[in-house]
Tab-separated table of all heavy atoms in Angstrom:
chain	number	residue	atom	x	y	z
A	6	ASP	N	166.204	85.092	89.598
A	6	ASP	CA	167.490	84.174	89.681
A	6	ASP	C	167.042	82.910	90.407
A	6	ASP	O	167.797	82.515	91.383
A	6	ASP	CB	168.547	84.857	90.402
A	6	ASP	CG	169.161	85.997	89.480
A	6	ASP	OD1	168.984	85.980	88.311
A	6	ASP	OD2	169.583	86.972	90.020
A	7	ALA	N	165.950	82.236	90.077
A	7	ALA	CA	165.489	81.127	90.785
A	7	ALA	C	166.230	79.856	90.507
A	7	ALA	O	166.798	79.644	89.483
A	7	ALA	CB	163.985	80.870	90.477
A	8	ILE	N	166.275	79.082	91.627
A	8	ILE	CA	166.757	77.660	91.362
A	8	ILE	C	165.488	76.796	91.346
A	8	ILE	O	164.742	76.725	92.327
A	8	ILE	CB	167.619	77.223	92.585
A	8	ILE	CG1	168.758	78.265	92.838
A	8	ILE	CG2	168.170	75.797	92.366
A	8	ILE	CD1	169.731	78.377	91.685
A	9	VAL	N	165.282	76.044	90.229
A	9	VAL	CA	164.102	75.228	90.087
A	9	VAL	C	164.403	73.754	90.354
A	9	VAL	O	165.411	73.243	89.771
A	9	VAL	CB	163.471	75.444	88.603
A	9	VAL	CG1	162.360	74.488	88.498
A	9	VAL	CG2	163.062	76.858	88.419
A	10	VAL	N	163.654	73.195	91.280
A	10	VAL	CA	163.848	71.776	91.523
A	10	VAL	C	162.658	71.018	90.973
A	10	VAL	O	161.525	71.224	91.359
A	10	VAL	CB	163.870	71.571	93.092
A	10	VAL	CG1	164.037	70.054	93.372
A	10	VAL	CG2	164.986	72.348	93.654
A	11	ILE	N	163.023	70.168	89.948
A	11	ILE	CA	162.003	69.405	89.254
A	11	ILE	C	161.809	68.058	89.979
A	11	ILE	O	162.710	67.154	89.765
A	11	ILE	CB	162.371	69.181	87.768
A	11	ILE	CG1	162.650	70.597	87.113
A	11	ILE	CG2	161.265	68.452	86.984
A	11	ILE	CD1	161.451	71.421	86.992
A	22	VAL	N	168.174	69.201	99.727
A	22	VAL	CA	168.883	70.136	98.841
A	22	VAL	C	167.986	71.569	98.914
A	22	VAL	O	168.766	72.622	99.061
A	22	VAL	CB	168.934	69.810	97.356
A	22	VAL	CG1	169.543	70.866	96.484
A	22	VAL	CG2	169.747	68.441	97.260
A	26	LEU	N	169.548	75.165	100.167
A	26	LEU	CA	169.448	76.348	99.352
A	26	LEU	C	168.628	77.426	100.093
A	26	LEU	O	169.106	78.625	100.026
A	26	LEU	CB	168.625	76.004	98.035
A	26	LEU	CG	169.372	75.145	96.986
A	26	LEU	CD1	168.438	74.656	95.957
A	26	LEU	CD2	170.419	76.014	96.328
A	31	ALA	N	168.579	81.462	98.805
A	31	ALA	CA	168.265	81.273	97.384
A	31	ALA	C	166.783	81.338	97.133
A	31	ALA	O	165.995	80.934	98.038
A	31	ALA	CB	168.869	80.008	96.744
A	71	LEU	N	160.957	82.312	82.959
A	71	LEU	CA	161.853	81.265	82.365
A	71	LEU	C	163.278	81.815	82.195
A	71	LEU	O	164.200	81.081	82.483
A	71	LEU	CB	161.251	80.761	81.051
A	71	LEU	CG	159.808	80.078	81.187
A	71	LEU	CD1	159.386	79.652	79.747
A	71	LEU	CD2	159.959	78.838	82.025
A	72	GLU	N	163.398	83.008	81.667
A	72	GLU	CA	164.789	83.548	81.393
A	72	GLU	C	165.604	83.877	82.631
A	72	GLU	O	166.732	84.152	82.475
A	72	GLU	CB	164.640	84.743	80.375
A	72	GLU	CG	163.795	85.897	80.910
A	72	GLU	CD	162.391	85.800	80.593
A	72	GLU	OE1	161.833	84.680	80.501
A	72	GLU	OE2	161.780	86.859	80.453
A	73	GLU	N	164.940	83.882	83.726
A	73	GLU	CA	165.639	84.248	84.988
A	73	GLU	C	166.018	83.018	85.855
A	73	GLU	O	166.480	83.149	86.959
A	73	GLU	CB	164.884	85.277	85.775
A	73	GLU	CG	164.792	86.591	85.086
A	73	GLU	CD	163.911	87.615	85.953
A	73	GLU	OE1	163.208	87.169	86.874
A	73	GLU	OE2	163.908	88.821	85.519
A	74	VAL	N	165.671	81.763	85.330
A	74	VAL	CA	166.019	80.571	86.070
A	74	VAL	C	167.562	80.404	85.972
A	74	VAL	O	168.072	80.276	84.918
A	74	VAL	CB	165.295	79.373	85.441
A	74	VAL	CG1	165.800	78.027	86.168
A	74	VAL	CG2	163.776	79.515	85.615
A	75	ARG	N	168.162	80.364	87.095
A	75	ARG	CA	169.641	80.254	87.254
A	75	ARG	C	170.087	78.863	87.080
A	75	ARG	O	171.170	78.582	86.393
A	75	ARG	CB	170.054	80.895	88.486
A	75	ARG	CG	171.498	80.933	88.710
A	75	ARG	CD	171.825	81.665	89.981
A	75	ARG	NE	173.212	81.877	90.217
A	75	ARG	CZ	173.662	82.520	91.374
A	75	ARG	NH1	172.827	82.979	92.219
A	75	ARG	NH2	174.980	82.748	91.483
A	76	ALA	N	169.486	77.894	87.664
A	76	ALA	CA	169.885	76.486	87.676
A	76	ALA	C	168.671	75.655	87.960
A	76	ALA	O	167.604	75.985	88.483
A	76	ALA	CB	170.960	76.270	88.741
A	77	VAL	N	168.789	74.411	87.319
A	77	VAL	CA	167.752	73.397	87.638
A	77	VAL	C	168.306	72.111	88.200
A	77	VAL	O	169.286	71.601	87.720
A	77	VAL	CB	167.024	72.919	86.212
A	77	VAL	CG1	166.144	71.683	86.387
A	77	VAL	CG2	166.233	74.099	85.675
A	78	TYR	N	167.693	71.634	89.282
A	78	TYR	CA	168.063	70.371	90.006
A	78	TYR	C	166.986	69.389	89.445
A	78	TYR	O	165.824	69.492	89.843
A	78	TYR	CB	168.083	70.432	91.412
A	78	TYR	CG	168.414	69.130	92.172
A	78	TYR	CD1	169.049	68.117	91.557
A	78	TYR	CD2	167.841	68.910	93.431
A	78	TYR	CE1	169.316	66.914	92.282
A	78	TYR	CE2	168.129	67.821	94.093
A	78	TYR	CZ	168.814	66.741	93.482
A	78	TYR	OH	169.025	65.496	94.169
A	79	TYR	N	167.329	68.582	88.488
A	79	TYR	CA	166.330	67.663	87.841
A	79	TYR	C	166.478	66.343	88.657
A	79	TYR	O	167.314	65.614	88.466
A	79	TYR	CB	166.632	67.399	86.449
A	79	TYR	CG	165.589	66.699	85.736
A	79	TYR	CD1	164.545	67.446	85.032
A	79	TYR	CD2	165.428	65.314	85.683
A	79	TYR	CE1	163.525	66.828	84.460
A	79	TYR	CE2	164.435	64.609	85.073
A	79	TYR	CZ	163.429	65.374	84.461
A	79	TYR	OH	162.459	64.785	83.733
A	80	ARG	N	165.371	66.078	89.427
A	80	ARG	CA	165.303	64.886	90.261
A	80	ARG	C	164.296	63.868	89.699
A	80	ARG	O	164.610	63.237	88.650
A	80	ARG	CB	164.947	65.233	91.632
A	80	ARG	CG	166.108	65.441	92.635
A	80	ARG	CD	166.707	63.997	93.041
A	80	ARG	NE	165.772	63.216	93.770
A	80	ARG	CZ	166.004	62.010	94.025
A	80	ARG	NH1	167.095	61.333	93.530
A	80	ARG	NH2	165.153	61.261	94.725
A	109	LEU	N	160.493	72.612	77.082
A	109	LEU	CA	160.781	73.927	77.559
A	109	LEU	C	161.719	73.847	78.744
A	109	LEU	O	162.798	74.514	78.868
A	109	LEU	CB	159.657	74.715	77.904
A	109	LEU	CG	158.780	75.302	76.813
A	109	LEU	CD1	157.480	76.007	77.310
A	109	LEU	CD2	159.601	76.424	76.070
A	110	ILE	N	161.409	73.048	79.694
A	110	ILE	CA	162.206	72.887	80.988
A	110	ILE	C	163.600	72.374	80.681
A	110	ILE	O	164.585	72.861	81.334
A	110	ILE	CB	161.502	71.950	81.956
A	110	ILE	CG1	160.190	72.545	82.472
A	110	ILE	CG2	162.424	71.519	83.013
A	110	ILE	CD1	159.362	71.574	83.231
A	111	ALA	N	163.805	71.575	79.624
A	111	ALA	CA	165.094	71.059	79.300
A	111	ALA	C	165.879	71.990	78.411
A	111	ALA	O	167.015	71.755	78.017
A	111	ALA	CB	164.929	69.768	78.517
A	112	ASN	N	165.286	73.170	77.974
A	112	ASN	CA	166.081	74.126	77.164
A	112	ASN	C	165.875	75.602	77.562
A	112	ASN	O	165.628	76.437	76.833
A	112	ASN	CB	165.416	73.960	75.727
A	112	ASN	CG	165.864	72.719	75.007
A	112	ASN	OD1	166.976	72.607	74.513
A	112	ASN	ND2	164.902	71.636	75.058
A	113	LEU	N	166.029	75.759	78.901
A	113	LEU	CA	166.042	77.101	79.420
A	113	LEU	C	167.406	77.839	79.153
A	113	LEU	O	168.407	77.181	79.265
A	113	LEU	CB	165.786	76.969	80.894
A	113	LEU	CG	164.452	76.422	81.397
A	113	LEU	CD1	164.416	76.303	82.935
A	113	LEU	CD2	163.259	77.297	80.863
A	114	PRO	N	167.220	79.164	78.640
A	114	PRO	CA	168.510	79.805	78.351
A	114	PRO	C	169.299	80.209	79.519
A	114	PRO	O	168.752	80.439	80.644
A	114	PRO	CB	167.934	81.127	77.673
A	114	PRO	CG	166.582	81.306	78.277
A	114	PRO	CD	165.992	79.885	78.627
A	115	ASN	N	170.648	80.103	79.381
A	115	ASN	CA	171.649	80.516	80.454
A	115	ASN	C	171.386	79.868	81.757
A	115	ASN	O	171.409	80.353	82.772
A	115	ASN	CB	171.569	82.022	80.626
A	115	ASN	CG	171.725	82.752	79.354
A	115	ASN	OD1	172.692	82.441	78.586
A	115	ASN	ND2	170.887	83.786	79.080
A	116	CYS	N	171.108	78.427	81.661
A	116	CYS	CA	170.637	77.725	82.742
A	116	CYS	C	171.657	76.648	82.984
A	116	CYS	O	172.143	75.830	82.157
A	116	CYS	CB	169.250	77.131	82.636
A	116	CYS	SG	168.747	76.128	84.046
A	117	ARG	N	171.965	76.321	84.297
A	117	ARG	CA	172.852	75.231	84.700
A	117	ARG	C	171.991	74.010	85.122
A	117	ARG	O	171.039	74.164	85.901
A	117	ARG	CB	173.803	75.679	85.831
A	117	ARG	CG	174.672	74.637	86.430
A	117	ARG	CD	175.532	75.134	87.490
A	117	ARG	NE	176.179	76.339	87.238
A	117	ARG	CZ	176.055	77.591	87.804
A	117	ARG	NH1	175.213	77.638	88.711
A	117	ARG	NH2	176.843	78.637	87.366
A	118	TYR	N	172.273	72.871	84.641
A	118	TYR	CA	171.444	71.598	84.910
A	118	TYR	C	172.339	70.573	85.773
A	118	TYR	O	173.433	70.330	85.460
A	118	TYR	CB	171.024	70.932	83.709
A	118	TYR	CG	169.922	71.655	82.906
A	118	TYR	CD1	170.234	72.619	81.958
A	118	TYR	CD2	168.536	71.368	83.166
A	118	TYR	CE1	169.320	73.338	81.279
A	118	TYR	CE2	167.525	72.113	82.455
A	118	TYR	CZ	167.909	73.021	81.501
A	118	TYR	OH	166.995	73.687	80.729
A	119	VAL	N	171.631	70.144	86.807
A	119	VAL	CA	172.256	69.117	87.674
A	119	VAL	C	171.151	68.026	87.857
A	119	VAL	O	170.363	68.173	88.784
A	119	VAL	CB	172.696	69.651	88.965
A	119	VAL	CG1	173.360	68.587	89.853
A	119	VAL	CG2	173.803	70.814	88.786
A	120	ASN	N	171.002	67.063	86.980
A	120	ASN	CA	171.714	66.996	85.674
A	120	ASN	C	170.693	67.209	84.554
A	120	ASN	O	169.414	67.162	84.825
A	120	ASN	CB	172.247	65.487	85.469
A	120	ASN	CG	173.515	65.163	86.342
A	120	ASN	OD1	174.395	65.894	86.320
A	120	ASN	ND2	173.470	64.123	87.043
A	121	HIS	N	171.242	67.420	83.382
A	121	HIS	CA	170.257	67.620	82.278
A	121	HIS	C	169.510	66.295	81.966
A	121	HIS	O	170.105	65.298	81.919
A	121	HIS	CB	170.951	68.138	80.994
A	121	HIS	CG	170.031	68.634	79.933
A	121	HIS	ND1	169.323	67.782	79.200
A	121	HIS	CD2	169.783	69.997	79.514
A	121	HIS	CE1	168.544	68.562	78.431
A	121	HIS	NE2	168.819	69.864	78.598
A	122	PRO	N	168.169	66.376	81.851
A	122	PRO	CA	167.372	65.103	81.668
A	122	PRO	C	167.926	64.306	80.404
A	122	PRO	O	167.878	63.113	80.497
A	122	PRO	CB	165.969	65.654	81.464
A	122	PRO	CG	166.045	67.003	81.201
A	122	PRO	CD	167.352	67.544	81.937
A	124	ASN	N	170.901	64.058	79.368
A	124	ASN	CA	172.218	63.323	79.686
A	124	ASN	C	171.949	62.282	80.718
A	124	ASN	O	172.635	61.328	80.720
A	124	ASN	CB	173.187	64.386	80.251
A	124	ASN	CG	173.657	65.348	79.203
A	124	ASN	OD1	173.522	65.147	78.031
A	124	ASN	ND2	174.149	66.576	79.654
A	125	ILE	N	170.922	62.477	81.614
A	125	ILE	CA	170.617	61.344	82.474
A	125	ILE	C	170.125	60.223	81.634
A	125	ILE	O	170.568	58.991	82.035
A	125	ILE	CB	169.438	61.805	83.414
A	125	ILE	CG1	169.911	62.957	84.409
A	125	ILE	CG2	168.915	60.598	84.234
A	125	ILE	CD1	168.781	63.544	85.283
A	222	VAL	N	179.486	65.285	93.370
A	222	VAL	CA	178.586	66.445	93.120
A	222	VAL	C	179.546	67.587	92.738
A	222	VAL	O	180.209	68.169	93.619
A	222	VAL	CB	177.785	66.793	94.338
A	222	VAL	CG1	176.752	67.869	93.815
A	222	VAL	CG2	176.959	65.639	94.808
A	223	GLY	N	179.577	67.969	91.449
A	223	GLY	CA	180.595	68.979	91.064
A	223	GLY	C	181.963	68.486	91.418
A	223	GLY	O	182.467	67.431	90.979
A	224	SER	N	182.673	69.350	92.116
A	224	SER	CA	184.100	69.001	92.483
A	224	SER	C	184.115	68.270	93.780
A	224	SER	O	185.305	67.871	94.235
A	224	SER	CB	184.908	70.282	92.587
A	224	SER	OG	184.272	71.098	93.502
A	225	HIS	N	182.996	67.928	94.446
A	225	HIS	CA	182.981	67.358	95.738
A	225	HIS	C	182.822	65.826	95.525
A	225	HIS	O	181.962	65.350	94.863
A	225	HIS	CB	181.790	67.930	96.572
A	225	HIS	CG	181.829	69.296	96.661
A	225	HIS	ND1	182.435	70.029	97.720
A	225	HIS	CD2	181.254	70.244	95.841
A	225	HIS	CE1	182.276	71.309	97.509
A	225	HIS	NE2	181.551	71.498	96.388
A	271	GLY	N	178.471	64.628	80.245
A	271	GLY	CA	177.826	65.888	80.500
A	271	GLY	C	177.099	65.998	81.829
A	271	GLY	O	176.108	66.707	81.918
A	272	LEU	N	177.633	65.245	82.765
A	272	LEU	CA	176.936	65.157	84.124
A	272	LEU	C	177.651	66.118	85.132
A	272	LEU	O	178.930	66.143	85.026
A	272	LEU	CB	176.814	63.734	84.553
A	272	LEU	CG	176.186	62.815	83.713
A	272	LEU	CD1	176.260	61.385	84.172
A	272	LEU	CD2	174.617	63.117	83.529
A	273	ALA	N	176.949	66.625	86.133
A	273	ALA	CA	177.505	67.223	87.225
A	273	ALA	C	177.452	66.411	88.505
A	273	ALA	O	178.045	66.782	89.570
A	273	ALA	CB	176.894	68.606	87.472
A	274	PHE	N	176.749	65.325	88.412
A	274	PHE	CA	176.458	64.498	89.724
A	274	PHE	C	176.305	63.023	89.231
A	274	PHE	O	175.766	62.712	88.100
A	274	PHE	CB	175.149	65.079	90.314
A	274	PHE	CG	174.398	63.937	91.130
A	274	PHE	CD1	175.030	63.430	92.298
A	274	PHE	CD2	173.170	63.527	90.621
A	274	PHE	CE1	174.291	62.520	92.982
A	274	PHE	CE2	172.578	62.590	91.429
A	274	PHE	CZ	173.134	62.055	92.579
A	316	ALA	N	176.717	70.391	99.054
A	316	ALA	CA	177.459	70.298	97.775
A	316	ALA	C	176.524	70.564	96.592
A	316	ALA	O	176.994	71.357	95.639
A	316	ALA	CB	178.183	69.004	97.570
A	317	PHE	N	175.310	69.979	96.705
A	317	PHE	CA	174.422	70.325	95.580
A	317	PHE	C	174.065	71.828	95.541
A	317	PHE	O	173.915	72.406	94.479
A	317	PHE	CB	173.105	69.516	95.868
A	317	PHE	CG	173.055	68.234	95.148
A	317	PHE	CD1	173.369	67.037	95.778
A	317	PHE	CD2	172.692	68.063	93.785
A	317	PHE	CE1	173.398	65.862	95.120
A	317	PHE	CE2	172.596	66.910	93.180
A	317	PHE	CZ	172.958	65.709	93.776
A	318	ALA	N	173.820	72.349	96.698
A	318	ALA	CA	173.433	73.758	96.840
A	318	ALA	C	174.565	74.674	96.234
A	318	ALA	O	174.361	75.604	95.456
A	318	ALA	CB	173.133	74.191	98.168
A	319	HIS	N	175.837	74.305	96.647
A	319	HIS	CA	177.035	75.095	96.158
A	319	HIS	C	176.963	74.912	94.602
A	319	HIS	O	177.357	75.966	93.909
A	319	HIS	CB	178.215	74.557	96.763
A	319	HIS	CG	179.520	75.230	96.206
A	319	HIS	ND1	179.913	76.387	96.761
A	319	HIS	CD2	180.350	74.779	95.220
A	319	HIS	CE1	181.043	76.697	96.007
A	319	HIS	NE2	181.326	75.702	95.133
A	320	THR	N	176.896	73.775	94.051
A	320	THR	CA	176.978	73.502	92.618
A	320	THR	C	175.886	74.217	91.866
A	320	THR	O	176.219	74.761	90.841
A	320	THR	CB	177.046	72.057	92.307
A	320	THR	OG1	178.130	71.364	93.068
A	320	THR	CG2	177.208	71.725	90.893
A	321	LEU	N	174.750	74.209	92.385
A	321	LEU	CA	173.596	74.947	91.659
A	321	LEU	C	173.846	76.336	91.676
A	321	LEU	O	173.522	77.075	90.617
A	321	LEU	CB	172.334	74.545	92.358
A	321	LEU	CG	171.803	73.069	92.092
A	321	LEU	CD1	170.733	72.751	93.080
A	321	LEU	CD2	171.236	73.010	90.738
A	322	LEU	N	174.311	76.935	92.704
A	322	LEU	CA	174.550	78.379	92.845
A	322	LEU	C	175.793	78.866	92.240
A	322	LEU	O	175.825	79.912	91.503
A	322	LEU	CB	174.522	78.758	94.363
A	322	LEU	CG	173.195	78.717	95.044
A	322	LEU	CD1	173.431	78.779	96.521
A	322	LEU	CD2	172.166	79.651	94.511
A	323	GLU	N	176.832	78.075	92.284
A	323	GLU	CA	178.188	78.623	91.993
A	323	GLU	C	178.729	77.913	90.726
A	323	GLU	O	179.780	78.336	90.152
A	323	GLU	CB	179.099	78.545	93.056
A	323	GLU	CG	178.658	79.198	94.396
A	323	GLU	CD	178.562	80.681	94.250
A	323	GLU	OE1	179.128	81.250	93.376
A	323	GLU	OE2	177.696	81.208	95.078
A	324	GLY	N	178.144	76.757	90.281
A	324	GLY	CA	178.837	75.995	89.319
A	324	GLY	C	179.964	75.191	89.853
A	324	GLY	O	180.094	75.116	91.067
A	325	TYR	N	180.758	74.635	88.987
A	325	TYR	CA	181.929	73.917	89.613
A	325	TYR	C	182.983	73.847	88.537
A	325	TYR	O	182.829	73.991	87.346
A	325	TYR	CB	181.485	72.483	89.962
A	325	TYR	CG	181.207	71.569	88.807
A	325	TYR	CD1	182.219	70.721	88.317
A	325	TYR	CD2	179.982	71.590	88.279
A	325	TYR	CE1	181.876	69.891	87.351
A	325	TYR	CE2	179.709	70.782	87.095
A	325	TYR	CZ	180.622	69.865	86.616
A	325	TYR	OH	180.376	69.037	85.610
A	326	THR	N	184.159	73.710	89.042
A	326	THR	CA	185.469	73.395	88.290
A	326	THR	C	186.195	72.300	88.931
A	326	THR	O	186.213	72.121	90.139
A	326	THR	CB	186.300	74.664	88.060
A	326	THR	OG1	186.726	75.060	89.446
A	326	THR	CG2	185.632	75.797	87.317
Side-chain angles (χ1 to χ4, degrees):
D6 292 333
I8 308 296
V9 176
V10 179
I11 305 293
V22 176
L26 287 167
L71 296 178
E72 59 271 30
E73 293 179 350
V74 175
R75 184 175 185 178
V77 168
Y78 175 28
Y79 191 91
R80 261 290 293 170
L109 283 173
I110 290 172
N112 289 279
L113 296 177
N115 305 313
C116 180
R117 178 183 303 120
Y118 289 87
V119 182
N120 286 311
H121 194 284
N124 294 340
I125 292 174
V222 187
S224 58
H225 307 269
L272 303 172
F274 154 67
F317 267 97
H319 175 84
T320 302
L321 288 163
L322 291 168
E323 306 297 337
Y325 72 97
T326 56

